[in-house]
Amino acid sequence: MLRGFATVNLFADDLAATLDRLLAMGAEEHQGIVDRGGNGFVTASVVDPFGNVLGIMTNPHYLEVLASARPS
């Protein structure tokens, strides 16, 4: 049974493959792949064997921010 929780979304280069891998490792799907607005921000989440919710996402804006934060 899930209770109140926070989900942290970790970046995945290939969201579908990462979701498949987590499920193969014993996680249960919490929420399938969801497009969050048509701008490339896509999420999914699983519940691990200990009851923790793990979110995964892909987001072009995140990659732009990450690239701009790197020293030249």
Side-chain angles (χ1 to χ4, degrees), residues 1-3 5 30 46-54:
M1 173 197 325
L2 292 176
R3 295 191 178 105
F5 61 89
H30 181 255
V46 298
V47 179
D48 73 13
F50 305 103
N52 302 302
V53 176
L54 170 65

Side-chain angles (χ1 to χ4, degrees), residues 7-12 36 41-45 54-58:
T7 303
V8 175
N9 287 304
L10 303 175
F11 182 81
R36 303 285 180 177
F41 180 47
V42 182
T43 67
S45 60
L54 170 65
I56 53 176
M57 63 96 176
T58 186

Side-chain angles (χ1 to χ4, degrees), residues 14-37:
D14 185 334
L15 189 73
T18 301
L19 178 59
D20 288 344
R21 177 78 173 129
L22 290 168
L23 296 174
M25 293 173 62
E28 294 181 25
E29 187 173 296
H30 181 255
Q31 184 173 54
I33 296 174
V34 177
D35 185 329
R36 303 285 180 177

